[in-house]
Amino acid sequence: MIQTFISRRGTDELLLFFAGWGMDTRPFAELNHIGCDCCICYDYTHLDFDASLLAGYKSIEVYAWSFGVWAASVVLPDSRLPIRHATAINGTPCGIDPKRGISPEIFTATLEHLDAASLNKFYRRMCNDRDTLNRFLEILPHRNLESLRNELASIGTGVAQYPAPRFHWDRAIVGNKDRIFPTDNQLRAWAEEHTPVTSIEAAHYLPFRPLVLERRFDKAVIKTRFESAASTYEQEGLIQEQIARHLNEIIPNPPAEGYRHILEIGCGTGKLTRLLVGRFPHARFTLNDLSPRMESHIEQLPFEHLDFVAGDAECTDFGEKYDLVVSASTIQWFTDLDGFLRRISSHLSDSGVIAFSSFIAGNLPEIRNLATTEMPYWEYDDLKRLFERYFQLDIFERQEYTLHFDSPIDLLRHLRDTGVTGTPGNRHKGFNFIKRYRETFGESQESQLTYCPVYIIAHKKKQL
């Protein structure tokens, strides 16, 4: 078994991911910025798992996919690792079984007839649709046929040796379009294990980052934090206001007919909204925020027409076409940004424009150096590639702003009063934070925070 760290940021938490047959780290590169260290396990030709490589972590979350569920079930019971939670995805502990895994006949036929053509057929069945397949082919593992054949044969031998490994899985995710591990077999296996199951609309291969982030991001907690900070956000959110002003300035002037319908995602207390209403007073506005309480902050603005839609933008069907879609300092909280951008591109008019800002890797480095976990910010290049998948980019630029404070206590107060706590689920304990801040940055009372936003202006891709 190969164990490779794709992210090593010095956090106390580790994501330990067991891949499926035939993989390497390439299909899981999206997990290199999920807010903690990440180790990928793959190639089960030998089950020589080395737990010592993971020494020092205080908390480990395990995710396993496909035959990785069987492999993890074999090697983890005696590892004595500090496993906090374990999630199985489209696989079963027994791996090969006529009723609780892959059919033995299908497994044997796959092994005996494995060649380039049959492998491509396997990938098609694994992905189930053209878009998913094309995306997978962009990050295809760098493995040759001989290594795949040897691994598959070893899995067959290993399952015969360890047919029913005992490991506690906290949750199983089962795709209802899985054509590799039959859905009914998965459900049967997990029912026998008394493991809670989440059924999703997905094929065997699916985006893994959203599944990981949905546990790391508690939207209810995020909503509560920003509601608590709403009364102080206007005064303390100096950087957010600066970002909103710059984003408004770089939004291109509308065509002759104007931006007739504008959608804002994450309007908050209205920092960007006020600027947009002043600039486009005759537009129809649809404003969204996770918290319904934010409506009271913006309803007094001089709109000609306003629709307020409360709720999680990732789960909301906005239902219409928009000439301008804007969002300031919000999308860094999204668990499935890829899915959101795909959906929002379909709601953009043919000449429509998007104008977004977000925070990227390198944001609040002072907090990252002191926290045990960190925000799963996108890397600049990865985020740019993601937007290019759905839009034609006009502007994609990063900037840096620094705030100075008289003391670490003032810095902490700023984080509290803006709702920006740096990491999901991480409470900065006051005195401990101050102590660590001074140990890291020196005894000087003056403290600082560095914000790293990216600005994105893009328009809808032309259909070929």
Side-chain angles (χ1 to χ4, degrees), residues 8 31 46 54 97 118 138 145 173 179 201 227 236 322 342 377:
R8 211 161 195 173
L31 299 179
H46 304 285
L54 314 180
D97 187 274
S118 66
E138 292 175 0
L145 273 174
I173 296 175
R179 299 173 66 191
E201 190 85 6
E227 286 177 345
E236 289 293 333
Y322 301 90
R342 182 176 64 252
Y377 295 118

Side-chain angles (χ1 to χ4, degrees), residues 243 247 331 356-360 380 383 387 395-399 452-456:
I243 289 171
L247 184 62
I331 61 173
F356 288 2
S357 73
S358 183
F359 296 108
I360 56 173
Y380 175 90
L383 187 63
F387 271 87
I395 295 175
F396 198 93
E397 64 178 25
R398 57 183 157 195
Q399 291 192 5
C452 296
V454 62
Y455 297 95
I456 304 140

Side-chain angles (χ1 to χ4, degrees), residues 425-443:
N426 189 57
R427 302 289 197 275
H428 300 299
K429 307 290 185 181
F431 290 115
N432 183 54
F433 177 88
I434 293 169
K435 179 176 180 290
R436 294 179 66 183
Y437 191 98
R438 287 173 173 163
E439 287 174 351
T440 303
F441 298 106
E443 289 295 327

